[in-house]
Protein backbone atom coordinates (compact mmCIF):
# COMPACT_ATOMS: atom_id res chain seq x y z
CA UNK A 1 0.00 0.00 0.00
CA UNK A 2 1.20 3.50 -0.78
CA UNK A 3 0.09 6.70 0.91
CA UNK A 4 1.15 10.16 -0.21
CA UNK A 5 2.16 12.59 2.53
CA UNK A 6 1.81 16.14 1.25
CA UNK A 7 4.87 17.36 3.15
CA UNK A 8 8.09 16.70 1.31
CA UNK A 9 10.99 14.86 2.90
CA UNK A 10 13.08 18.04 2.59
CA UNK A 11 11.65 21.47 1.79
CA UNK A 12 12.63 22.86 -1.62
CA UNK A 13 13.35 26.57 -2.11
CA UNK A 14 14.08 28.28 -5.42
CA UNK A 15 15.18 31.93 -5.50
CA UNK A 16 14.20 32.62 -9.10
CA UNK A 17 13.28 30.77 -12.31
CA UNK A 18 16.21 29.34 -14.28
CA UNK A 19 14.98 27.34 -17.30
CA UNK A 20 18.54 26.66 -18.44
CA UNK A 21 19.35 24.82 -15.22
CA UNK A 22 15.96 23.13 -15.29
CA UNK A 23 16.98 21.35 -18.48
CA UNK A 24 20.15 20.08 -16.78
CA UNK A 25 18.25 18.95 -13.68
CA UNK A 26 15.98 16.81 -15.86
CA UNK A 27 18.85 14.30 -15.83
CA UNK A 28 17.85 13.38 -12.28
CA UNK A 29 14.13 13.27 -13.05
CA UNK A 30 13.92 11.17 -16.20
CA UNK A 31 17.53 10.14 -16.82
CA UNK A 32 19.23 6.77 -16.62
CA UNK A 33 20.83 7.57 -13.24
CA UNK A 34 17.94 9.57 -11.83
CA UNK A 35 15.48 9.22 -9.01
CA UNK A 36 12.72 7.42 -10.95
CA UNK A 37 15.18 4.83 -12.25
CA UNK A 38 16.41 4.18 -8.70
CA UNK A 39 12.90 3.88 -7.25
CA UNK A 40 11.74 1.48 -9.96
CA UNK A 41 14.92 -0.58 -9.80
CA UNK A 42 14.90 -1.12 -6.05
CA UNK A 43 11.15 -1.74 -5.88
CA UNK A 44 11.29 -4.25 -8.75
CA UNK A 45 14.16 -6.08 -7.07
CA UNK A 46 12.31 -6.21 -3.75
CA UNK A 47 9.35 -8.06 -5.23
CA UNK A 48 11.49 -11.08 -6.06
CA UNK A 49 13.62 -10.95 -2.90
CA UNK A 50 13.12 -13.74 -0.36
CA UNK A 51 15.56 -12.26 2.15
CA UNK A 52 13.19 -10.36 4.46
CA UNK A 53 15.87 -8.00 5.76
CA UNK A 54 17.16 -6.95 2.36
CA UNK A 55 13.61 -6.78 1.00
CA UNK A 56 12.87 -4.23 3.72
CA UNK A 57 16.04 -2.29 2.82
CA UNK A 58 15.13 -2.22 -0.88
CA UNK A 59 11.58 -1.04 -0.22
CA UNK A 60 12.66 1.64 2.27
CA UNK A 61 15.14 3.13 -0.19
CA UNK A 62 12.73 2.78 -3.12
CA UNK A 63 10.14 4.78 -1.19
CA UNK A 64 12.71 7.46 -0.36
CA UNK A 65 13.74 7.67 -4.02
CA UNK A 66 10.12 8.48 -4.91
CA UNK A 67 10.31 11.26 -2.32
CA UNK A 68 13.42 12.53 -4.07
CA UNK A 69 11.64 12.36 -7.41
CA UNK A 70 8.94 14.58 -5.92
CA UNK A 71 11.55 17.06 -4.69
CA UNK A 72 13.31 17.25 -8.04
CA UNK A 73 9.96 17.59 -9.84
CA UNK A 74 8.80 20.46 -7.61
CA UNK A 75 12.15 22.16 -8.08
CA UNK A 76 11.89 21.76 -11.86
CA UNK A 77 8.42 23.33 -11.93
CA UNK A 78 9.68 26.35 -10.00
CA UNK A 79 12.82 26.66 -12.13
CA UNK A 80 10.73 26.68 -15.32
CA UNK A 81 8.59 29.51 -13.96
CA UNK A 82 5.46 30.95 -15.61
CA UNK A 83 4.87 29.71 -19.16
CA UNK A 84 1.85 31.79 -20.19
CA UNK A 85 3.97 33.97 -22.45
CA UNK A 86 7.41 32.56 -23.21
CA UNK A 87 10.05 34.09 -25.48
CA UNK A 88 11.26 32.25 -28.57
CA UNK A 89 14.67 31.69 -27.04
CA UNK A 90 13.25 30.15 -23.82
CA UNK A 91 15.80 27.57 -22.66
CA UNK A 92 13.21 24.94 -21.67
CA UNK A 93 10.88 25.20 -24.66
CA UNK A 94 9.89 21.53 -24.68
CA UNK A 95 8.70 21.68 -21.06
CA UNK A 96 6.89 24.99 -21.57
CA UNK A 97 5.08 23.69 -24.65
CA UNK A 98 3.99 20.46 -22.96
CA UNK A 99 2.40 21.66 -19.77
CA UNK A 100 4.91 23.82 -17.94
CA UNK A 101 6.11 20.98 -15.74
CA UNK A 102 8.89 18.39 -15.82
CA UNK A 103 8.86 15.71 -18.49
CA UNK A 104 10.07 12.14 -18.06
CA UNK A 105 13.12 12.75 -20.21
CA UNK A 106 16.79 13.33 -19.52
CA UNK A 107 18.70 16.57 -20.10
CA UNK A 108 19.05 15.72 -23.79
CA UNK A 109 15.33 15.06 -24.22
CA UNK A 110 15.65 11.26 -24.40
CA UNK A 111 12.56 9.61 -22.83
CA UNK A 112 12.73 7.53 -19.68
CA UNK A 113 12.62 3.80 -20.36
CA UNK A 114 12.35 0.60 -18.34
CA UNK A 115 15.65 -0.39 -19.96
CA UNK A 116 17.28 1.77 -17.27
CA UNK A 117 16.17 -0.74 -14.61
CA UNK A 118 18.52 -3.59 -13.66
CA UNK A 119 16.98 -6.51 -11.80
CA UNK A 120 18.44 -10.01 -12.07
CA UNK A 121 17.05 -11.91 -9.09
CA UNK A 122 20.55 -12.49 -7.72
CA UNK A 123 20.97 -10.40 -4.57
CA UNK A 124 24.73 -10.03 -4.81
CA UNK A 125 24.48 -8.83 -8.41
CA UNK A 126 21.55 -6.50 -7.76
CA UNK A 127 23.03 -4.91 -4.63
CA UNK A 128 26.33 -4.33 -6.45
CA UNK A 129 24.40 -2.63 -9.27
CA UNK A 130 22.55 -0.49 -6.73
CA UNK A 131 25.74 0.62 -5.01
CA UNK A 132 27.11 1.75 -8.36
CA UNK A 133 23.84 3.50 -9.24
CA UNK A 134 24.05 5.58 -6.07
CA UNK A 135 27.60 6.66 -6.90
CA UNK A 136 26.60 7.65 -10.44
CA UNK A 137 23.71 9.71 -9.09
CA UNK A 138 26.03 11.36 -6.57
CA UNK A 139 28.46 12.26 -9.34
CA UNK A 140 25.73 13.93 -11.39
CA UNK A 141 24.57 15.94 -8.38
CA UNK A 142 28.16 17.05 -7.77
CA UNK A 143 28.35 18.30 -11.35
CA UNK A 144 24.94 19.98 -11.11
CA UNK A 145 26.20 21.95 -8.11
CA UNK A 146 28.71 23.62 -10.40
CA UNK A 147 25.96 24.80 -12.76
CA UNK A 148 23.82 26.97 -10.43
CA UNK A 149 24.27 29.84 -8.01
CA UNK A 150 20.75 29.53 -6.59
CA UNK A 151 21.22 29.03 -2.83
CA UNK A 152 17.95 27.12 -2.38
CA UNK A 153 18.62 24.79 -5.29
CA UNK A 154 22.15 24.11 -4.08
CA UNK A 155 20.80 23.32 -0.62
CA UNK A 156 18.43 20.73 -2.10
CA UNK A 157 21.17 19.19 -4.22
CA UNK A 158 23.50 18.90 -1.24
CA UNK A 159 20.76 17.06 0.66
CA UNK A 160 20.14 14.67 -2.23
CA UNK A 161 23.86 14.12 -2.75
CA UNK A 162 24.22 13.22 0.93
CA UNK A 163 21.34 10.76 0.68
CA UNK A 164 23.06 9.06 -2.29
CA UNK A 165 26.11 8.59 -0.07
CA UNK A 166 23.93 7.09 2.66
CA UNK A 167 22.22 4.68 0.26
CA UNK A 168 25.56 3.61 -1.18
CA UNK A 169 26.80 2.83 2.34
CA UNK A 170 23.65 0.80 3.11
CA UNK A 171 23.99 -1.24 -0.07
CA UNK A 172 27.69 -1.87 0.53
CA UNK A 173 26.97 -3.12 4.04
CA UNK A 174 24.20 -5.36 2.70
CA UNK A 175 26.66 -6.81 0.19
CA UNK A 176 29.03 -7.64 3.04
CA UNK A 177 26.21 -9.47 4.84
CA UNK A 178 25.61 -11.89 1.93
CA UNK A 179 29.18 -12.53 0.76
CA UNK A 180 29.68 -16.08 -0.40
CA UNK A 181 26.12 -16.42 -1.65
CA UNK A 182 24.48 -16.27 -5.06
CA UNK A 183 26.80 -15.45 -7.91
CA UNK A 184 29.54 -14.54 -5.44
CA UNK A 185 29.54 -18.12 -4.15
CA UNK A 186 30.27 -19.39 -7.65
CA UNK A 187 33.09 -16.96 -8.34
CA UNK A 188 36.43 -18.66 -9.07
CA UNK A 189 34.96 -22.02 -10.01
CA UNK A 190 37.80 -22.75 -12.45
CA UNK A 191 41.51 -22.14 -12.80
CA UNK A 192 40.81 -19.40 -15.33
CA UNK A 193 38.93 -17.41 -12.70
CA UNK A 194 42.26 -16.73 -10.97
CA UNK A 195 44.26 -15.67 -14.02
CA UNK A 196 44.99 -12.17 -15.29
CA UNK A 197 45.37 -12.07 -19.07
CA UNK A 198 47.79 -9.36 -20.23
CA UNK A 199 46.25 -8.51 -23.60
CA UNK A 200 48.37 -5.47 -24.47
CA UNK A 201 51.92 -5.13 -25.77
CA UNK A 202 54.53 -2.41 -25.43
CA UNK A 203 55.61 -0.25 -22.53
CA UNK A 204 53.28 0.64 -19.71
CA UNK A 205 52.15 -2.72 -18.31
CA UNK A 206 50.99 -2.12 -14.75
CA UNK A 207 50.91 -4.46 -11.80
CA UNK A 208 48.70 -4.16 -8.74
CA UNK A 209 46.33 -6.11 -6.48
CA UNK A 210 44.04 -6.64 -9.47
CA UNK A 211 46.61 -8.81 -11.27
CA UNK A 212 49.02 -10.13 -8.62
CA UNK A 213 48.76 -11.70 -5.18
CA UNK A 214 45.60 -13.33 -3.86
CA UNK A 215 46.44 -16.51 -5.78
CA UNK A 216 46.30 -14.75 -9.17
CA UNK A 217 48.62 -15.93 -11.94
CA UNK A 218 49.74 -13.49 -14.66
CA UNK A 219 49.60 -14.68 -18.26
CA UNK A 220 51.61 -12.63 -20.76
CA UNK A 221 50.58 -14.45 -23.94
CA UNK A 222 47.51 -16.56 -23.19
CA UNK A 223 47.01 -17.48 -26.84
CA UNK A 224 50.37 -19.29 -26.92
CA UNK A 225 49.41 -21.43 -23.93
CA UNK A 226 45.70 -21.98 -24.47
CA UNK A 227 44.88 -20.85 -28.00
CA UNK A 228 45.04 -22.20 -31.51
CA UNK A 229 42.88 -22.50 -34.60
CA UNK A 230 39.21 -23.32 -34.19
CA UNK A 231 38.59 -27.04 -34.57
CA UNK A 232 35.90 -29.70 -34.31
CA UNK A 233 36.19 -32.49 -31.79
CA UNK A 234 35.15 -33.77 -28.41
CA UNK A 235 35.12 -31.66 -25.27
CA UNK A 236 38.68 -31.10 -24.06
CA UNK A 237 39.89 -32.64 -20.88
CA UNK A 238 40.13 -30.45 -17.82
CA UNK A 239 43.14 -28.12 -18.14
CA UNK A 240 43.60 -27.49 -14.45
CA UNK A 241 42.81 -28.71 -10.96
CA UNK A 242 39.55 -26.76 -10.78
CA UNK A 243 38.61 -26.55 -14.42
CA UNK A 244 35.31 -28.12 -15.37
CA UNK A 245 35.40 -31.09 -17.70
CA UNK A 246 32.94 -33.07 -19.81
CA UNK A 247 29.64 -33.72 -18.08
CA UNK A 248 29.71 -30.48 -16.09
CA UNK A 249 26.16 -29.21 -15.49
CA UNK A 250 25.84 -25.43 -15.36
CA UNK A 251 22.55 -25.66 -13.49
CA UNK A 252 24.32 -26.87 -10.36
CA UNK A 253 26.18 -23.55 -10.00
CA UNK A 254 23.19 -21.71 -8.56
CA UNK A 255 21.08 -24.63 -7.38
CA UNK A 256 22.88 -27.62 -5.99
CA UNK A 257 19.56 -29.47 -5.66
CA UNK A 258 18.78 -29.16 -9.37
CA UNK A 259 18.15 -32.47 -11.11
CA UNK A 260 18.59 -32.59 -14.84
CA UNK A 261 15.27 -33.75 -16.36
CA UNK A 262 15.53 -37.08 -18.09
CA UNK A 263 14.19 -37.01 -21.65
CA UNK A 264 11.18 -39.15 -22.41
CA UNK A 265 11.98 -42.71 -23.48
CA UNK A 266 15.51 -42.21 -22.21
CA UNK A 267 15.72 -45.87 -21.20
CA UNK A 268 15.05 -47.11 -24.69
CA UNK A 269 17.97 -48.23 -26.76
CA UNK A 270 18.58 -46.03 -29.77
CA UNK A 271 19.91 -47.89 -32.80
Amino acid sequence: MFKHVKDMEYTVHVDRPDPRFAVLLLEQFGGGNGELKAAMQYFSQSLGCNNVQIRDLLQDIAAEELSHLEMVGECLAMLIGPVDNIPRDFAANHMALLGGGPLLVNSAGVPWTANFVNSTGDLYTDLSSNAGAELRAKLIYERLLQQTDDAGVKDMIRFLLSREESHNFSFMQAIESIKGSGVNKDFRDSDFSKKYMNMSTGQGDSRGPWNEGNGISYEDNPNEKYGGPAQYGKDPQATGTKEVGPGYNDHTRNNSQYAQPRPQNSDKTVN
Side-chain angles (χ1 to χ4, degrees), residues 205-227:
D205 284 347
S206 299
R207 302 301 294 269
W210 54 88
N211 62 15
E212 63 182 0
N214 300 306
I216 297 174
S217 62
Y218 190 90
E219 300 285 355
D220 266 317
N221 298 295
N223 61 299
E224 294 181 3
K225 189 170 183 180
Y226 309 110

Side-chain angles (χ1 to χ4, degrees), residues 14 16-26 75-83 86-87 89-96 100 107 147-148 150 153:
V14 172
R16 59 193 175 279
D18 184 353
R20 179 200 67 86
F21 185 75
V23 173
L24 298 178
L25 186 59
L26 273 175
C75 184
L76 281 165
M78 290 187 281
L79 287 168
I80 296 166
V83 294
I86 59 173
D89 60 350
F90 190 71
N93 263 330
H94 57 307
M95 284 188 278
S107 57
Q147 296 296 321
T148 181
D150 190 304
V153 175

Side-chain angles (χ1 to χ4, degrees), residues 10-261:
Y10 191 84
T11 302
V12 177
H13 296 279
V14 172
D15 294 339
R16 59 193 175 279
D18 184 353
R20 179 200 67 86
F21 185 75
V23 173
L24 298 178
L25 186 59
L26 273 175
E27 195 65 35
Q28 292 304 86
F29 192 76
N33 298 300
E35 304 295 353
L36 180 60
K37 171 261 174 68
M40 294 297 98
Q41 178 161 309
Y42 307 157
F43 183 69
S44 297
Q45 291 172 356
S46 76
L47 297 176
C49 177
N50 294 323
N51 182 312
V52 293
Q53 294 176 310
I54 293 180
R55 183 186 176 100
D56 182 58
L57 165 70
L58 290 168
Q59 292 185 342
D60 278 344
I61 298 182
E64 185 176 0
E65 299 293 7
L66 287 174
S67 298
H68 296 172
L69 181 74
E70 180 183 35
M71 291 170 57
V72 173
E74 292 283 4
C75 184
L76 281 165
M78 290 187 281
L79 287 168
I80 296 166
V83 294
D84 296 331
N85 186 16
I86 59 173
R88 292 183 179 180
D89 60 350
F90 190 71
N93 263 330
H94 57 307
M95 284 188 278
L97 291 172
L98 296 173
L103 303 177
L104 280 177
V105 298
N106 68 7
S107 57
V110 178
W112 192 90
T113 170
N115 288 332
F116 293 153
V117 174
N118 294 302
S119 181
T120 67
D122 180 88
L123 277 183
Y124 194 91
T125 301
D126 285 344
L127 290 172
S128 298
S129 176
N130 297 351
E134 295 294 334
L135 292 180
R136 289 189 292 272
K138 178 192 173 189
L139 177 62
I140 293 174
Y141 280 129
E142 288 176 346
R143 290 171 174 168
L144 284 169
L145 273 177
Q146 303 169 23
Q147 296 296 321
T148 181
D149 295 321
D150 190 304
V153 175
K154 294 184 82 164
D155 182 62
M156 179 198 75
I157 291 176
R158 290 192 181 102
F159 170 80
L160 293 171
L161 188 155
S162 299
R163 296 308 300 152
E164 308 297 352
E165 290 182 337
S166 173
H167 294 167
N168 172 263
F169 175 81
S170 295
F171 285 133
M172 293 299 293
Q173 294 304 305
I175 290 170
E176 285 294 315
S177 74
I178 61 168
K179 270 191 171 181
S181 67
V183 73
N184 184 247
K185 177 181 180 180
D186 301 313
F187 191 56
R188 305 189 184 103
D189 66 347
S190 82
D191 287 350
F192 288 113
S193 301
K194 296 287 284 184
K195 294 185 187 297
Y196 181 88
M197 305 298 194
N198 180 25
M199 304 299 286
S200 57
T201 58
Q203 296 182 348
D205 284 347
S206 299
R207 302 301 294 269
W210 54 88
N211 62 15
E212 63 182 0
N214 300 306
I216 297 174
S217 62
Y218 190 90
E219 300 285 355
D220 266 317
N221 298 295
N223 61 299
E224 294 181 3
K225 189 170 183 180
Y226 309 110
Q231 54 187 290
Y232 290 101
K234 297 181 180 180
D235 288 339
Q237 294 298 313
T239 57
T241 56
K242 302 177 187 175
E243 186 59 27
V244 296
Y248 173 73
N249 187 348
D250 283 301
H251 294 290
T252 61
R253 299 184 71 220
N254 292 315
N255 184 358
S256 59
Q257 304 302 316
Y258 180 87
Q260 179 69 42

